Amino acid sequence: SQQGEEDPQALSIQEGENATMNCSYKTSINNLQWYRQNSGRGLVHLILIRSNEREKHSGRLRVTLDTSKKSSSLLITASRAADTASYFCATVLTGGGNKLTFGTGTQLKVEL
Amino acid sequence: EAGVAQSPRYKIIEKRQSVAFWCNPISGHATLYWYQQILGQGPKLLIQFQNNGVVDDSQLPKDRFSAERLKGVDSTLKIQPAKLEDSAVYLCASSIQGFGPQHFGDGTRLSIL
């Protein structure tokens, strides 16, 4: 079953704009992770945010976590054509070891 | 650092045939995962190994799927017999221990005719 649901399902923006993707989940988590998947490739880990953290940055990425609303957002600033990919949130449940439960993903297209 | 290696990259078989996938994780990674990713969906965990022991296989269809990691390094996933609904990408991932980021291979795309 899918724990996380991303919104929107698809997003098309111009190069240089910011892209925001949202993820909602259902049960208590230990941490939440964001992954990127280019077409025909495996997933690449982007960032991990723990349940006691509210915000993390990594380069052009900013992730927020609101455990009271059971939601997270991923912001990519100054997007580039190379950012075109599918983005997935994945949750590790409290007491769930390192089992990742992925959402349905957001397809991001960055146009020149 | 070499990444997670998977083979083959593509496989086409007919339903009721058998198929096997191979994965070699990043050197030193104790935990290995197999995921199934159906088109348009996120990956779903099939089985997780810690060294050569199974940690979680709750979503593995055990009547047709099997996996092993005999020496605690590389792993094979087998489907026998295959069904049409098994058409998917099979991804292998590894992590240093049973926590933290997972590193994925590029997967095997399986098509069932």
Side-chain angles (χ1 to χ4, degrees):
Chain A
S1 62
Q2 299 286 347
Q3 153 80 328
E5 297 289 335
E6 282 94 335
D7 171 61
Q9 286 189 322
L11 179 61
S12 183
I13 59 173
Q14 298 294 313
E15 197 171 50
E17 294 180 337
N18 296 341
T20 300
M21 288 158 266
N22 302 295
C23 169
S24 61
Y25 57 91
K26 299 174 183 175
T27 56
S28 178
I29 62 170
N30 178 285
N31 66 73
L32 185 145
Q33 301 175 34
W34 285 89
Y35 287 79
R36 183 188 75 231
Q37 185 176 35
N38 290 86
S39 181
R41 304 297 300 274
L43 285 81
V44 174
H45 179 263
L46 297 175
I47 199 163
L48 181 155
I49 186 165
R50 293 182 170 78
S51 60
N52 62 351
E53 297 174 313
R54 292 297 168 258
E55 187 171 314
K56 283 190 82 169
H57 296 82
S58 177
R60 294 184 295 113
L61 306 180
R62 172 178 169 255
V63 168
T64 62
L65 178 65
D66 187 335
T67 53
S68 66
K69 294 181 179 179
K70 292 185 170 59
S71 67
S72 174
S73 68
L74 170 67
L75 168 68
I76 304 174
T77 60
S79 63
R80 306 166 181 167
D83 295 328
T84 295
S86 292
Y87 291 81
F88 293 91
C89 70
T91 53
V92 175
L93 303 184
T94 302
N98 200 30
K99 177 179 178 178
L100 289 175
T101 304
F102 283 88
T104 51
T106 293
Q107 289 188 24
L108 173 65
K109 184 175 182 180
V110 182
E111 300 186 83
L112 296 169
Chain B
E1 172 182 84
V4 176
Q6 289 190 246
S7 67
R9 286 283 280 132
Y10 305 93
K11 190 73 178 179
I12 301 173
I13 62 172
E14 295 185 348
K15 60 183 179 183
R16 291 188 290 274
Q17 287 187 323
S18 62
V19 64
F21 315 124
W22 175 82
C23 172
N24 192 31
I26 293 173
S27 178
H29 281 198
T31 311
L32 184 147
Y33 315 80
W34 282 101
Y35 290 86
Q36 179 192 60
Q37 186 176 23
I38 293 172
L39 187 64
Q41 298 182 17
K44 181 183 80 172
L45 179 69
L46 293 175
I47 189 167
Q48 176 182 342
F49 291 95
Q50 179 74 18
N51 297 309
N52 61 349
V54 175
V55 174
D56 186 337
D57 64 356
S58 58
Q59 298 189 98
L60 186 74
K62 298 179 186 65
D63 58 333
R64 298 183 300 105
F65 286 64
S66 64
E68 60 183 14
R69 193 185 185 200
L70 293 176
K71 297 181 179 179
V73 180
D74 58 347
S75 175
T76 56
L77 175 69
K78 297 179 181 178
I79 307 175
Q80 182 179 17
K83 292 186 175 181
L84 292 174
E85 63 258 33
D86 298 333
S87 292
V89 175
Y90 291 85
L91 295 162
C92 179
S94 67
S95 62
I96 293 176
Q97 287 292 342
F99 58 87
Q102 295 182 21
H103 301 262
F104 284 77
D106 285 337
T108 296
R109 183 175 298 275
L110 175 65
S111 297
I112 313 292
L113 303 178

